[in-house]
Coordinates of all heavy atoms in Angstrom, one line a residue:
M4 N -191.7 122.0 148.4 CA -192.2 122.2 147.1 C -191.9 123.7 146.6 O -192.2 124.6 147.4 CB -193.7 121.9 147.1 CG -194.3 122.1 145.7 SD -196.1 121.7 145.7 CE -196.3 120.5 146.9
N5 N -191.5 123.8 145.3 CA -191.2 125.1 144.8 C -192.5 125.8 144.5 O -193.3 125.4 143.6 CB -190.4 125.0 143.5 CG -189.9 126.3 143.0 OD1 -190.5 127.3 143.2 ND2 -188.8 126.2 142.2
K6 N -192.8 126.9 145.2 CA -194.0 127.6 144.9 C -194.1 128.2 143.6 O -195.2 128.6 143.1 CB -194.2 128.7 146.1 CG -194.4 128.1 147.4 CD -194.5 129.1 148.5 CE -194.7 128.3 149.8 NZ -194.7 129.2 151.0
K7 N -193.0 128.4 142.9 CA -193.0 129.0 141.6 C -193.7 128.1 140.6 O -194.3 128.5 139.6 CB -191.6 129.3 141.1 CG -190.9 130.4 141.9 CD -189.5 130.7 141.4 CE -188.9 131.8 142.2 NZ -187.5 131.9 141.8
I8 N -193.6 126.8 140.8 CA -194.2 125.8 139.8 C -195.6 125.4 140.2 O -196.3 124.8 139.4 CB -193.3 124.7 139.5 CG1 -193.1 123.7 140.8 CG2 -192.0 125.1 139.0 CD1 -192.5 122.4 140.5
K9 N -196.0 125.6 141.5 CA -197.3 125.2 141.9 C -198.4 126.1 141.4 O -198.7 127.1 142.0 CB -197.2 125.2 143.5 CG -198.6 124.7 144.2 CD -198.8 123.3 144.0 CE -200.0 122.9 144.8 NZ -200.9 122.1 144.1
T10 N -198.9 125.7 140.2 CA -199.9 126.4 139.6 C -201.0 125.5 139.1 O -200.8 124.2 139.2 CB -199.5 127.1 138.3 OG1 -199.1 126.1 137.3 CG2 -198.3 128.0 138.6
E11 N -202.2 126.0 138.8 CA -203.3 125.1 138.3 C -202.9 124.4 137.1 O -203.2 123.2 136.9 CB -204.6 126.0 138.1 CG -205.8 125.2 137.9 CD -207.0 126.1 137.8 OE1 -207.0 127.2 138.4 OE2 -207.9 125.7 137.2
A12 N -202.2 125.1 136.2 CA -201.8 124.4 134.9 C -200.8 123.3 135.2 O -201.0 122.2 134.5 CB -201.1 125.5 134.0
V13 N -199.9 123.5 136.1 CA -199.0 122.3 136.5 C -199.8 121.2 137.1 O -199.5 120.0 136.8 CB -197.8 122.8 137.3 CG1 -196.9 121.6 137.8 CG2 -196.9 123.8 136.5
D14 N -200.7 121.5 138.0 CA -201.6 120.5 138.6 C -202.2 119.6 137.5 O -202.4 118.4 137.5 CB -202.6 121.1 139.5 CG -202.1 121.6 140.9 OD1 -200.9 121.2 141.1 OD2 -202.8 122.2 141.5
H15 N -202.8 120.3 136.5 CA -203.5 119.6 135.4 C -202.5 118.7 134.6 O -202.9 117.6 134.2 CB -204.1 120.6 134.4 CG -205.3 121.4 135.0 ND1 -205.7 122.5 134.5 CD2 -206.1 121.1 136.1 CE1 -206.7 123.0 135.2 NE2 -207.0 122.1 136.2
L16 N -201.3 119.2 134.4 CA -200.3 118.3 133.7 C -200.0 117.1 134.5 O -200.0 116.0 134.0 CB -199.0 119.2 133.5 CG -197.8 118.3 132.9 CD1 -198.2 117.8 131.5 CD2 -196.5 119.2 132.9
F17 N -199.8 117.2 135.8 CA -199.5 116.1 136.7 C -200.7 115.1 136.7 O -200.5 113.9 136.7 CB -199.1 116.6 138.0 CG -197.7 117.3 138.0 CD1 -197.3 118.1 139.2 CD2 -196.8 117.2 137.0 CE1 -196.1 118.7 139.2 CE2 -195.6 117.8 137.0 CZ -195.2 118.5 138.2
E18 N -201.9 115.6 136.7 CA -203.1 114.8 136.7 C -203.1 114.0 135.5 O -203.5 112.8 135.4 CB -204.3 115.6 136.9 CG -204.5 116.2 138.3 CD -205.6 117.3 138.4 OE1 -206.2 117.6 137.4 OE2 -205.8 117.8 139.5
A19 N -202.8 114.6 134.4 CA -202.7 114.0 133.0 C -201.6 112.9 133.1 O -201.9 111.7 132.7 CB -202.4 114.9 132.0
V20 N -200.5 113.1 133.6 CA -199.4 112.1 133.7 C -199.9 111.0 134.6 O -199.7 109.7 134.3 CB -198.1 112.7 134.3 CG1 -197.1 111.6 134.7 CG2 -197.5 113.7 133.3
L21 N -200.5 111.2 135.7 CA -201.1 110.2 136.6 C -202.1 109.3 136.0 O -202.4 108.2 136.3 CB -201.6 110.8 137.9 CG -200.5 111.4 138.9 CD1 -201.2 112.2 140.0 CD2 -199.6 110.3 139.3
A22 N -202.8 109.8 134.9 CA -203.8 109.1 134.2 C -203.2 108.1 133.2 O -204.0 107.2 132.8 CB -204.8 110.0 133.6
L23 N -202.0 108.2 132.9 CA -201.4 107.3 131.9 C -201.3 105.9 132.5 O -201.0 105.8 133.7 CB -200.0 107.8 131.5 CG -200.0 109.1 130.9 CD1 -198.5 109.7 130.7 CD2 -200.6 109.1 129.5
K24 N -201.5 104.9 131.7 CA -201.6 103.5 132.2 C -200.6 102.6 131.6 O -200.6 101.4 132.0 CB -203.0 103.0 131.9 CG -204.1 103.8 132.7 CD -205.5 103.2 132.5 CE -206.5 104.1 133.2 NZ -207.8 103.9 133.0
S25 N -199.8 103.0 130.7 CA -198.8 102.0 130.2 C -197.6 102.8 129.6 O -197.7 104.1 129.4 CB -199.4 101.2 129.0 OG -199.7 102.0 127.9
I26 N -196.6 102.1 129.3 CA -195.4 102.7 128.7 C -195.8 103.3 127.3 O -195.4 104.4 127.0 CB -194.2 101.6 128.5 CG1 -193.7 101.2 129.9 CG2 -193.1 102.3 127.7 CD1 -192.9 102.2 130.7
D27 N -196.6 102.5 126.6 CA -197.0 103.1 125.2 C -197.8 104.4 125.3 O -197.6 105.3 124.6 CB -197.9 102.0 124.5 CG -197.1 100.8 124.0 OD1 -195.8 101.0 123.8 OD2 -197.6 99.8 123.8
E28 N -198.7 104.5 126.4 CA -199.4 105.7 126.6 C -198.4 106.8 127.0 O -198.6 108.0 126.6 CB -200.4 105.6 127.7 CG -201.6 104.7 127.3 CD -202.7 104.6 128.4 OE1 -202.6 105.3 129.4 OE2 -203.7 103.9 128.1
C29 N -197.4 106.5 127.8 CA -196.4 107.5 128.1 C -195.7 108.0 126.9 O -195.5 109.3 126.7 CB -195.4 107.0 129.1 SG -196.1 106.7 130.8
Y30 N -195.3 107.1 126.0 CA -194.6 107.5 124.8 C -195.6 108.5 123.9 O -195.1 109.5 123.5 CB -194.3 106.3 124.0 CG -192.9 105.7 124.3 CD1 -192.7 104.6 125.1 CD2 -191.7 106.3 123.7 CE1 -191.5 104.1 125.4 CE2 -190.5 105.8 124.1 CZ -190.4 104.7 124.9 OH -189.1 104.2 125.2
A31 N -196.8 108.1 123.8 CA -197.7 108.8 123.0 C -197.9 110.3 123.6 O -197.8 111.3 122.9 CB -199.1 108.2 122.9
F32 N -198.1 110.3 124.9 CA -198.3 111.6 125.6 C -197.1 112.5 125.6 O -197.1 113.6 125.1 CB -198.8 111.4 127.0 CG -199.1 112.7 127.8 CD1 -200.1 113.4 127.4 CD2 -198.2 113.1 128.7 CE1 -200.4 114.6 128.1 CE2 -198.5 114.3 129.4 CZ -199.5 115.1 129.1
F33 N -195.9 111.9 126.0 CA -194.7 112.7 126.1 C -194.2 113.1 124.7 O -193.5 114.2 124.6 CB -193.7 112.0 127.0 CG -194.0 112.1 128.5 CD1 -194.6 111.1 129.2 CD2 -193.6 113.3 129.1 CE1 -194.9 111.2 130.5 CE2 -193.9 113.4 130.4 CZ -194.5 112.4 131.2
E34 N -194.4 112.3 123.8 CA -193.9 112.7 122.4 C -194.7 113.9 121.9 O -194.2 114.7 121.1 CB -194.0 111.5 121.4 CG -192.9 110.5 121.6 CD -192.9 109.4 120.5 OE1 -193.1 109.7 119.4 OE2 -192.7 108.3 121.0
D35 N -196.0 114.0 122.3 CA -196.8 115.1 122.0 C -196.4 116.4 122.8 O -196.5 117.5 122.3 CB -198.3 114.8 122.1 CG -198.9 113.9 121.0 OD1 -198.2 113.8 120.0 OD2 -200.0 113.5 121.2
V36 N -196.2 116.2 124.1 CA -196.0 117.3 125.1 C -194.5 117.8 125.0 O -194.3 119.0 125.0 CB -196.2 116.9 126.4 CG1 -195.8 117.9 127.5 CG2 -197.7 116.5 126.6
C37 N -193.5 116.9 124.8 CA -192.1 117.4 124.8 C -191.5 117.3 123.4 O -191.9 116.5 122.6 CB -191.4 116.4 125.7 SG -191.9 116.4 127.4
T38 N -190.4 118.1 123.3 CA -189.6 117.8 122.1 C -188.8 116.5 122.4 O -188.6 116.1 123.5 CB -188.6 119.0 121.8 OG1 -187.8 119.1 122.9 CG2 -189.4 120.3 121.7
V39 N -188.2 116.0 121.3 CA -187.3 114.9 121.5 C -186.2 115.2 122.5 O -185.8 114.4 123.4 CB -186.7 114.4 120.1 CG1 -185.6 113.4 120.3 CG2 -187.8 113.9 119.2
N40 N -185.6 116.4 122.3 CA -184.5 116.8 123.2 C -184.9 116.9 124.6 O -184.1 116.6 125.5 CB -183.8 118.0 122.6 CG -182.9 117.8 121.4 OD1 -182.5 116.7 121.1 ND2 -182.7 118.8 120.7
E41 N -186.1 117.5 124.8 CA -186.6 117.6 126.2 C -186.7 116.3 126.8 O -186.3 116.0 128.0 CB -187.9 118.4 126.2 CG -187.7 119.9 126.0 CD -189.1 120.6 125.7 OE1 -190.1 119.9 125.3 OE2 -189.1 121.8 125.8
L42 N -187.3 115.3 126.1 CA -187.5 114.0 126.7 C -186.2 113.3 126.9 O -186.0 112.6 128.0 CB -188.4 113.2 125.7 CG -189.0 111.9 126.2 CD1 -189.7 112.1 127.5 CD2 -190.0 111.4 125.2
L43 N -185.2 113.4 126.0 CA -183.9 112.8 126.2 C -183.2 113.4 127.4 O -182.5 112.7 128.1 CB -183.1 112.9 125.0 CG -183.6 112.0 123.7 CD1 -182.8 112.3 122.5 CD2 -183.7 110.6 124.1
S44 N -183.4 114.7 127.6 CA -182.7 115.4 128.7 C -183.3 114.9 130.0 O -182.6 114.7 131.0 CB -182.9 116.9 128.6 OG -182.2 117.4 127.6
L45 N -184.6 114.8 130.1 CA -185.3 114.2 131.3 C -184.8 112.8 131.6 O -184.4 112.5 132.8 CB -186.8 114.2 131.2 CG -187.4 115.6 131.2 CD1 -188.9 115.4 130.8 CD2 -187.3 116.2 132.5
S46 N -184.7 111.9 130.6 CA -184.3 110.5 130.8 C -182.8 110.5 131.2 O -182.4 109.7 132.0 CB -184.6 109.7 129.6 OG -183.9 110.2 128.5
Q47 N -182.0 111.4 130.6 CA -180.6 111.5 131.0 C -180.4 111.9 132.4 O -179.6 111.3 133.1 CB -179.9 112.5 130.0 CG -178.4 112.7 130.3 CD -177.8 113.7 129.6 OE1 -178.1 114.9 129.7 NE2 -176.9 113.4 128.6
R48 N -181.2 112.9 132.9 CA -181.1 113.2 134.3 C -181.5 112.1 135.3 O -180.8 111.9 136.3 CB -181.9 114.4 134.6 CG -181.5 115.7 134.0 CD -182.4 116.9 134.2 NE -182.1 118.0 133.4 CZ -182.9 119.0 133.2 NH1 -184.1 119.0 133.8 NH2 -182.4 120.0 132.4
Y49 N -182.5 111.4 134.9 CA -182.8 110.2 135.7 C -181.7 109.1 135.7 O -181.4 108.6 136.8 CB -184.1 109.5 135.1 CG -184.7 108.4 135.9 CD1 -185.3 108.7 137.1 CD2 -184.5 107.1 135.5 CE1 -185.7 107.6 137.9 CE2 -185.0 106.1 136.3 CZ -185.6 106.4 137.5 OH -186.0 105.3 138.2
E50 N -181.1 108.9 134.6 CA -179.9 107.9 134.5 C -178.8 108.4 135.3 O -178.1 107.7 136.0 CB -179.6 107.7 133.1 CG -180.6 107.0 132.2 CD -180.9 105.5 132.9 OE1 -180.0 104.8 133.2 OE2 -182.1 105.3 132.9
V51 N -178.6 109.7 135.2 CA -177.4 110.4 136.1 C -177.7 110.1 137.6 O -176.9 109.8 138.3 CB -177.3 111.9 135.7 CG1 -176.5 112.6 136.7 CG2 -176.7 112.0 134.3
A52 N -179.0 110.4 138.0 CA -179.3 110.2 139.4 C -179.1 108.8 139.8 O -178.6 108.6 140.9 CB -180.8 110.6 139.6
K53 N -179.5 107.8 139.0 CA -179.3 106.4 139.4 C -177.8 106.1 139.5 O -177.4 105.4 140.5 CB -179.9 105.4 138.3 CG -181.4 105.4 138.4 CD -182.1 104.5 137.5 CE -181.3 103.7 136.4 NZ -182.1 102.9 135.5
M54 N -177.0 106.6 138.6 CA -175.6 106.4 138.6 C -174.9 107.0 139.8 O -174.0 106.5 140.4 CB -175.0 106.8 137.3 CG -175.4 105.9 136.1 SD -174.8 106.5 134.6 CE -173.1 105.7 134.7
L55 N -175.4 108.3 140.2 CA -174.9 108.9 141.4 C -175.2 108.1 142.6 O -174.3 108.0 143.5 CB -175.5 110.4 141.5 CG -174.9 111.4 140.5 CD1 -175.7 112.7 140.6 CD2 -173.4 111.7 141.0
R56 N -176.3 107.6 142.7 CA -176.7 106.7 143.9 C -175.9 105.5 143.8 O -175.7 104.9 144.9 CB -178.2 106.4 143.8 CG -179.1 107.5 144.3 CD -178.8 107.7 145.8 NE -179.6 108.6 146.4 CZ -179.1 109.8 147.0 NH1 -177.8 110.0 147.1 NH2 -179.9 110.7 147.5
E57 N -175.4 105.0 142.7 CA -174.6 103.8 142.7 C -173.1 104.2 142.9 O -172.2 103.3 142.8 CB -174.6 103.1 141.2 CG -176.0 102.6 141.0 CD -176.3 102.3 139.4 OE1 -175.3 102.5 138.7 OE2 -177.3 101.7 139.2
K58 N -172.9 105.4 143.3 CA -171.5 106.0 143.6 C -170.6 106.0 142.5 O -169.4 105.9 142.6 CB -170.9 105.2 144.7 CG -171.7 105.1 146.1 CD -171.9 106.4 146.7 CE -172.6 106.3 148.0 NZ -173.3 107.5 148.4
K59 N -171.1 106.1 141.3 CA -170.3 106.3 140.0 C -169.6 107.7 140.1 O -170.2 108.6 140.6 CB -171.1 106.1 138.8 CG -171.8 104.8 138.6 CD -171.0 103.7 138.2 CE -171.7 102.4 138.1 NZ -171.4 101.5 137.2
T60 N -168.5 107.8 139.5 CA -167.8 109.1 139.4 C -168.4 109.9 138.4 O -169.1 109.5 137.4 CB -166.3 108.9 139.1 OG1 -166.1 108.5 137.8 CG2 -165.6 108.0 140.1
Y61 N -168.2 111.2 138.4 CA -168.7 112.2 137.4 C -168.1 111.8 136.0 O -168.8 111.8 135.1 CB -168.2 113.6 137.7 CG -169.1 114.4 138.7 CD1 -169.8 113.8 139.7 CD2 -169.3 115.7 138.6 CE1 -170.6 114.5 140.6 CE2 -170.1 116.5 139.3 CZ -170.7 115.8 140.4 OH -171.5 116.5 141.3
L62 N -166.8 111.3 136.0 CA -166.3 111.0 134.8 C -167.0 109.7 134.1 O -167.3 109.7 133.0 CB -164.8 110.6 134.9 CG -163.9 110.3 133.6 CD1 -164.1 111.3 132.6 CD2 -162.6 110.1 133.9
E63 N -167.2 108.7 135.0 CA -167.9 107.6 134.5 C -169.4 107.9 134.0 O -169.8 107.4 133.0 CB -168.1 106.5 135.7 CG -166.8 105.8 136.0 CD -167.0 105.0 137.3 OE1 -167.5 105.5 138.3 OE2 -166.6 103.8 137.2
I64 N -170.0 108.7 134.7 CA -171.3 109.1 134.4 C -171.4 109.9 133.1 O -172.2 109.7 132.2 CB -172.1 110.0 135.5 CG1 -172.2 109.1 136.8 CG2 -173.4 110.5 135.0 CD1 -172.5 109.8 138.0
A65 N -170.4 110.9 133.0 CA -170.3 111.7 131.7 C -170.1 110.8 130.5 O -170.6 110.9 129.4 CB -169.2 112.7 131.9
E66 N -169.1 109.8 130.7 CA -168.8 108.9 129.6 C -170.0 108.0 129.2 O -170.3 107.8 128.0 CB -167.6 108.0 129.9 CG -166.3 108.8 130.0 CD -165.2 107.9 130.4 OE1 -165.3 106.8 131.0 OE2 -164.0 108.4 130.3
Q67 N -170.8 107.5 130.1 CA -171.8 106.6 129.8 C -173.1 107.3 129.4 O -173.8 106.7 128.7 CB -172.1 105.7 131.1 CG -171.0 104.7 131.4 CD -171.3 103.8 132.6 OE1 -172.4 103.5 132.8 NE2 -170.2 103.4 133.2
T68 N -173.3 108.5 129.9 CA -174.6 109.1 129.5 C -174.5 110.3 128.5 O -175.5 110.7 128.0 CB -175.3 109.7 130.8 OG1 -174.4 110.8 131.3 CG2 -175.5 108.6 131.9
G69 N -173.3 110.8 128.4 CA -173.1 112.0 127.6 C -173.5 113.3 128.4 O -173.5 114.4 127.8
A70 N -173.8 113.2 129.6 CA -174.2 114.4 130.4 C -173.0 115.2 130.7 O -171.9 114.8 131.0 CB -174.9 113.9 131.7
S71 N -173.2 116.5 130.8 CA -172.2 117.5 131.0 C -171.9 117.4 132.6 O -172.8 117.0 133.3 CB -172.5 118.9 130.7 OG -173.6 119.3 131.4
T72 N -170.8 117.9 133.0 CA -170.5 117.9 134.5 C -171.5 118.9 135.2 O -171.8 118.7 136.3 CB -169.0 118.3 134.8 OG1 -168.7 119.5 134.1 CG2 -168.1 117.2 134.3
A73 N -171.9 119.9 134.4 CA -172.9 120.8 135.0 C -174.2 120.1 135.3 O -174.9 120.3 136.3 CB -173.1 122.0 134.1
T74 N -174.7 119.3 134.3 CA -175.9 118.5 134.5 C -175.7 117.5 135.6 O -176.7 117.4 136.5 CB -176.3 117.8 133.3 OG1 -176.6 118.8 132.2 CG2 -177.5 116.8 133.4
I75 N -174.6 116.8 135.7 CA -174.4 115.9 136.8 C -174.4 116.6 138.1 O -175.0 116.1 139.1 CB -173.1 115.1 136.6 CG1 -173.1 114.3 135.3 CG2 -172.7 114.2 137.8 CD1 -171.8 113.8 134.8
S76 N -173.8 117.7 138.2 CA -173.8 118.5 139.5 C -175.1 119.0 139.8 O -175.5 118.9 141.0 CB -172.8 119.7 139.2 OG -172.8 120.5 140.5
R77 N -175.9 119.4 138.9 CA -177.3 119.9 139.2 C -178.2 118.7 139.7 O -178.9 118.8 140.7 CB -177.9 120.4 137.9 CG -179.2 121.2 138.1 CD -179.8 121.8 136.8 NE -178.7 122.4 136.0 CZ -178.4 122.1 134.8 NH1 -179.0 121.1 134.1 NH2 -177.5 122.7 134.1
V78 N -178.0 117.5 139.1 CA -178.7 116.3 139.6 C -178.2 116.0 141.0 O -179.1 115.7 141.8 CB -178.6 115.2 138.6 CG1 -179.2 113.9 139.2 CG2 -179.3 115.4 137.3
N79 N -177.0 116.0 141.2 CA -176.4 115.7 142.5 C -176.9 116.7 143.6 O -177.3 116.3 144.7 CB -174.9 115.8 142.4 CG -174.2 115.1 143.6 OD1 -174.7 114.0 144.1 ND2 -173.2 115.7 144.2
R80 N -177.0 117.9 143.2 CA -177.7 118.9 144.2 C -179.1 118.5 144.5 O -179.5 118.6 145.7 CB -177.6 120.3 143.6 CG -176.6 121.3 144.2 CD -176.7 122.7 143.9 NE -177.2 123.0 142.5 CZ -176.3 123.0 141.4 NH1 -175.0 122.8 141.6 NH2 -176.8 123.3 140.2
S81 N -179.9 118.1 143.5 CA -181.2 117.7 143.7 C -181.3 116.5 144.6 O -182.1 116.4 145.5 CB -181.9 117.4 142.4 OG -182.1 118.5 141.6
L82 N -180.4 115.6 144.4 CA -180.4 114.3 145.3 C -180.1 114.7 146.7 O -180.6 114.1 147.6 CB -179.3 113.3 144.7 CG -179.7 112.5 143.5 CD1 -178.5 111.8 142.9 CD2 -180.8 111.6 143.8
N83 N -179.2 115.6 146.9 CA -178.7 116.0 148.2 C -179.5 117.0 149.0 O -179.6 117.0 150.2 CB -177.2 116.4 148.2 CG -176.3 115.2 147.9 OD1 -176.5 114.1 148.4 ND2 -175.4 115.5 147.0
Y84 N -180.1 117.9 148.2 CA -180.8 119.1 148.8 C -182.2 119.3 148.3 O -182.8 120.3 148.6 CB -179.9 120.4 148.7 CG -178.6 120.2 149.2 CD1 -177.5 120.1 148.3 CD2 -178.3 120.1 150.5 CE1 -176.2 120.0 148.7 CE2 -177.0 120.0 151.0 CZ -176.0 119.9 150.1 OH -174.7 119.8 150.5
G85 N -182.7 118.5 147.4 CA -184.0 118.6 146.8 C -185.1 118.1 147.7 O -185.0 118.0 148.9
N86 N -186.2 117.7 147.0 CA -187.4 117.3 147.7 C -187.6 115.8 147.8 O -188.6 115.3 148.1 CB -188.6 117.9 146.9 CG -188.7 119.4 147.0 OD1 -188.6 120.0 148.1 ND2 -188.8 120.0 145.9
D87 N -186.5 115.1 147.6 CA -186.4 113.6 147.8 C -187.3 112.9 146.7 O -187.7 111.7 146.9 CB -186.8 113.2 149.2 CG -185.9 113.7 150.2 OD1 -184.6 113.8 149.9 OD2 -186.3 114.1 151.3
G88 N -187.6 113.6 145.6 CA -188.4 112.9 144.5 C -187.7 111.8 144.0 O -188.3 110.7 143.7
Y89 N -186.4 111.9 143.6 CA -185.7 110.8 143.0 C -185.7 109.6 144.0 O -186.0 108.4 143.6 CB -184.2 111.2 142.8 CG -183.9 112.0 141.6 CD1 -183.4 113.3 141.6 CD2 -184.1 111.5 140.3 CE1 -183.2 114.1 140.6 CE2 -183.9 112.3 139.1 CZ -183.4 113.6 139.3 OH -183.1 114.3 138.2
D90 N -185.4 109.8 145.3 CA -185.4 108.8 146.3 C -186.7 108.1 146.4 O -186.7 106.8 146.5 CB -184.9 109.3 147.6 CG -183.5 109.7 147.6 OD1 -182.7 109.2 146.8 OD2 -183.1 110.6 148.5
M91 N -187.7 108.8 146.4 CA -189.1 108.2 146.5 C -189.3 107.2 145.3 O -189.8 106.1 145.5 CB -190.1 109.3 146.4 CG -191.6 108.8 146.4 SD -192.7 110.2 146.3 CE -192.2 111.0 144.7
I92 N -188.9 107.7 144.1 CA -189.1 106.8 142.9 C -188.2 105.6 143.0 O -188.6 104.5 142.6 CB -188.9 107.6 141.6 CG1 -190.1 108.6 141.4 CG2 -188.9 106.7 140.4 CD1 -191.5 108.0 141.5
F93 N -186.9 105.8 143.3 CA -186.0 104.7 143.4 C -186.5 103.6 144.4 O -186.4 102.5 144.1 CB -184.6 105.2 143.8 CG -183.9 106.1 142.8 CD1 -182.9 107.0 143.2 CD2 -184.1 106.0 141.5 CE1 -182.3 107.8 142.3 CE2 -183.5 106.8 140.5 CZ -182.6 107.7 141.0
E94 N -187.0 104.1 145.5 CA -187.5 103.1 146.5 C -188.7 102.3 145.9 O -188.8 101.2 146.0 CB -188.0 103.9 147.7 CG -188.4 103.0 148.9 CD -188.7 103.8 150.1 OE1 -187.9 104.7 150.5 OE2 -189.8 103.5 150.7
R95 N -189.6 103.1 145.3 CA -190.8 102.4 144.7 C -190.5 101.4 143.6 O -191.1 100.4 143.4 CB -191.8 103.4 144.2 CG -192.5 104.1 145.3 CD -193.6 105.1 144.8 NE -194.1 105.9 145.9 CZ -194.8 106.9 145.8 NH1 -195.2 107.3 144.6 NH2 -195.3 107.5 146.9
L96 N -189.4 101.8 142.9 CA -189.0 100.8 141.8 C -188.0 99.8 142.2 O -187.5 99.1 141.4 CB -188.5 101.7 140.6 CG -189.5 102.6 139.9 CD1 -188.8 103.4 138.8 CD2 -190.7 101.8 139.3
G97 N -187.6 99.8 143.5 CA -186.6 98.9 144.0 C -185.2 99.1 143.5 O -184.4 98.2 143.3
E98 N -184.9 100.4 143.2 CA -183.6 100.7 142.6 C -182.7 101.3 143.7 O -181.6 101.8 143.3 CB -183.7 101.6 141.4 CG -184.4 101.0 140.2 CD -184.7 102.0 139.1 OE1 -184.0 103.0 139.0 OE2 -185.4 101.5 138.2
E99 N -183.0 101.3 144.9 CA -182.2 101.9 145.9 C -181.4 100.8 146.6 O -181.8 99.7 146.8 CB -183.1 102.7 146.9 CG -182.3 103.5 147.9 CD -181.7 104.7 147.3 OE1 -181.8 105.0 146.1 OE2 -181.0 105.4 148.0

C-alpha cells in the first residue's frame, strides 16, 4: 500500500464508496466527486486492464479505448508490479 495516499481523508472517501448500494448511487456519488474527464479516465484504465489481461496488443487497446500508449503502459505496470487490486476485482467479478 502506498503510504502517501494512506490518510484519514482517503479512508473516509473509501468508506463512502463502500456505502454505495447500486449503480445509480455510484453515478450520483461519482458525478458529484469527479469531473466527467476524471471518471472517464478511471473507466478507461479499467477497460485497458481488462484488455491487457485478455492479451490484446497495445495497438488494439489504443484503437478500441482511445487510451494513449503511456496510459496503457502505466496500467500494465500496475498489473505486473502493483498491489494486485485489478486482479482482485477481476476475480470477484469473474472476469479473469
Side-chain angles (χ1 to χ4, degrees):
M4 179 181 325
N5 187 336
K6 291 179 181 172
K7 291 179 184 176
I8 66 166
K9 179 75 173 126
T10 66
E11 189 174 336
V13 174
D14 284 351
H15 291 160
L16 174 64
F17 291 163
E18 288 168 2
V20 170
L21 290 170
L23 298 169
K24 295 182 178 167
S25 69
I26 295 288
D27 288 337
E28 287 184 3
C29 286
Y30 273 100
F32 180 73
F33 280 99
E34 284 184 43
D35 284 349
V36 171
C37 299
T38 65
V39 170
N40 285 338
E41 288 168 336
L42 194 50
L43 292 175
S44 291
L45 289 171
S46 64
Q47 181 186 65
R48 289 177 192 166
Y49 184 75
E50 291 303 312
V51 166
K53 286 186 349 186
M54 294 176 80
L55 285 167
R56 280 294 182 240
E57 294 167 357
K58 305 293 186 209
K59 304 279 178 149
T60 66
Y61 275 35
L62 181 60
E63 290 173 309
I64 296 168
E66 287 175 350
Q67 290 182 28
T68 67
S71 69
T72 54
T74 295
I75 298 167
S76 180
R77 192 175 318 117
V78 171
N79 195 40
R80 252 190 326 275
S81 291
L82 285 169
N83 291 316
Y84 306 108
N86 295 309
D87 298 324
Y89 283 116
D90 291 333
M91 174 183 58
I92 293 302
F93 295 154
E94 185 178 314
R95 288 184 185 170
L96 296 177
E98 295 180 9
E99 189 71 1

